[in-house]
Amino acid sequence: MTFATKIFATKKGLLKAATSLLAVGVLSATLFAQTAPATAAQTAAATRYDNRIQTTLTQKLASKNQFRDVRSSVEDGIVTLTGTVDLYQRKLDAAKLARKTASVQGVKNLITVAGPNVSDAQLEQKLALKLRYVRSGYDITFDYFALGVKDGVVTVEGADRTGVGRDEALADIANMPGVKDVIANISLEPVSQMDDGLRLRAARVIYRDSVLSKYAIDPARPIRIIVENGHITLYGSVDNTMDKTVAGLRANELFGAFSVDNKLVVEKESGQPGM
C-alpha cells in the first residue's frame, strides 16, 4: 500500500467514525426527548384533565345521600375513593359510579364500611338463613354455597350451574348490615349436555327413593347435586347416617358418573343446619 493510499484509508476511517458518532448523537437526542420530564404545558393539561374528572365525580357523589361521607381524589386519571358508607353494597356502587365517569382510567376503592357492628357468629347465622330461603325454583338443587365470617369479612365458596344463584347470593351478602368485605370463590359448572343429563338423572334417583323423598318437601333444604365433567359431588345436610349412605349409593348407580364424592353432613351429629 502506497503512502497516498494509506492517507486515503485513514481519512475514510475517520469519516466513517464521525458518521457513526453523529448517528449515535441523533439517537441519544431522540431517546432523551422521549424520556425527558413533562413540560409545564403538559403538566398543566394533565392537571386540568384531572380537575375536570374531580369536579364531575364530586357532583355525582354529592347528588346521592348514601355517598355523603365519600371523598375522591384524581391523579393521572386514576380515582381514589375514601370515606365511609353503611353497607358493603354502597362501597361497590360508589366504585361503579366512579368508573362510569368520563375519562376515568381506573379506581382505587379505599372506602371503609361502617354501619352496625355484628358478631361474626350472628352475621354468619343471618346470612345462612338468608341464602337458604331467598332462592327458589329448579336450580336450587344444583348449586351450593358455603359461608365463613371473620372480622366482618365474608368468604363464600361453592358452585353454581347458571350464575343466577351466584349473583343473587352475592347481592344478598353485600346488602346485609355488618358485612365489611366479601371474598367470593364461586365457580360456574361447565356447560355440557352430558352433565345436564347426569344432573337430572341424579335428582330422579335420589328424590324418588322412598328414604330420601322427604328432602324434596322443603325447597330450601335439598340435597345439593353438583356435576362437573361427569364427577358428582353431594352437598347439604341429612337427618342420619343411613340417609347419607343411601344418597351416595343411588348416585353411584348412575351410568356415566365417573366418580361420586359424598359430602353430605349428618345434621344431628354436626349440630349445624345445611344450606
Side-chain angles (χ1 to χ4, degrees):
M1 181 182 292
T2 66
F3 179 73
T5 304
K6 290 181 178 179
I7 292 175
F8 175 77
T10 302
K11 288 182 176 180
K12 186 177 180 181
L14 290 172
L15 180 61
K16 185 177 180 181
T19 303
S20 299
L21 288 172
L22 178 61
V24 171
V26 172
L27 178 60
S28 298
T30 303
L31 291 175
F32 177 78
Q34 291 176 345
T35 59
T39 65
Q42 290 173 325
T43 302
T47 301
R48 288 196 301 272
Y49 175 80
D50 287 343
N51 288 342
R52 186 163 56 248
I53 296 174
Q54 177 77 62
T55 300
T56 302
L57 184 54
T58 299
Q59 291 173 349
K60 284 186 175 183
L61 293 171
S63 68
K64 298 184 180 295
N65 187 54
Q66 63 265 36
F67 302 138
R68 63 183 179 275
D69 295 321
V70 174
R71 303 291 177 265
S72 65
S73 60
V74 186
E75 183 175 356
D76 295 331
I78 305 298
V79 174
T80 300
L81 297 175
T82 55
T84 61
V85 291
D86 59 349
L87 286 175
Y88 180 72
Q89 181 61 55
R90 289 177 177 167
K91 176 177 179 176
L92 300 180
D93 292 342
K96 184 177 180 180
L97 186 87
R99 280 192 295 269
K100 286 186 174 182
T101 301
S103 302
V104 168
Q105 303 301 309
V107 177
K108 295 179 182 178
N109 195 346
L110 304 181
I111 296 173
T112 300
V113 180
N117 290 321
V118 182
S119 70
D120 289 346
Q122 186 179 8
L123 185 57
E124 184 171 343
Q125 184 178 20
K126 287 183 176 181
L127 286 171
L129 185 63
K130 183 76 172 175
L131 296 188
R132 283 180 66 187
Y133 286 97
V134 295
R135 300 190 314 276
S136 61
Y138 193 67
D139 279 345
I140 191 171
T141 304
F142 304 120
D143 62 24
Y144 174 74
F145 305 119
L147 289 167
V149 182
K150 175 69 173 177
D151 298 328
V153 178
V154 179
T155 300
V156 54
E157 299 179 346
D160 184 37
R161 190 175 72 88
T162 63
V164 175
R166 174 199 60 187
D167 294 345
E168 290 181 354
L170 292 177
D172 288 331
I173 294 171
N175 283 286
M176 178 68 71
V179 173
K180 307 300 182 184
D181 202 352
V182 178
I183 300 172
N185 297 314
I186 302 173
S187 63
L188 290 181
E189 299 167 56
V191 177
S192 164
Q193 290 185 348
M194 182 187 75
D195 282 356
D196 282 341
L198 192 54
R199 287 185 189 96
L200 292 174
R201 289 186 286 119
R204 290 192 190 106
V205 298
I206 288 175
Y207 287 113
R208 288 179 181 176
D209 186 281
S210 58
V211 174
L212 304 175
S213 59
K214 59 187 175 182
Y215 295 105
I217 297 174
D218 185 352
R221 189 175 172 263
I223 293 174
R224 313 281 182 170
I225 303 168
I226 304 300
V227 180
E228 296 183 77
N229 299 320
H231 300 278
I232 299 175
T233 305
L234 302 179
Y235 290 102
S237 63
V238 290
D239 292 335
N240 51 62
T241 302
M242 185 184 76
D243 291 356
K244 176 179 178 177
T245 302
V246 172
L249 290 172
R250 294 292 173 263
N252 273 292
E253 292 171 359
L254 292 168
F255 175 77
F258 299 141
S259 68
V260 176
D261 189 2
N262 191 346
K263 293 187 177 181
L264 289 170
V265 175
V266 178
E267 187 171 324
K268 292 179 180 178
E269 294 178 0
S270 69
Q272 296 292 330
M275 288 179 57

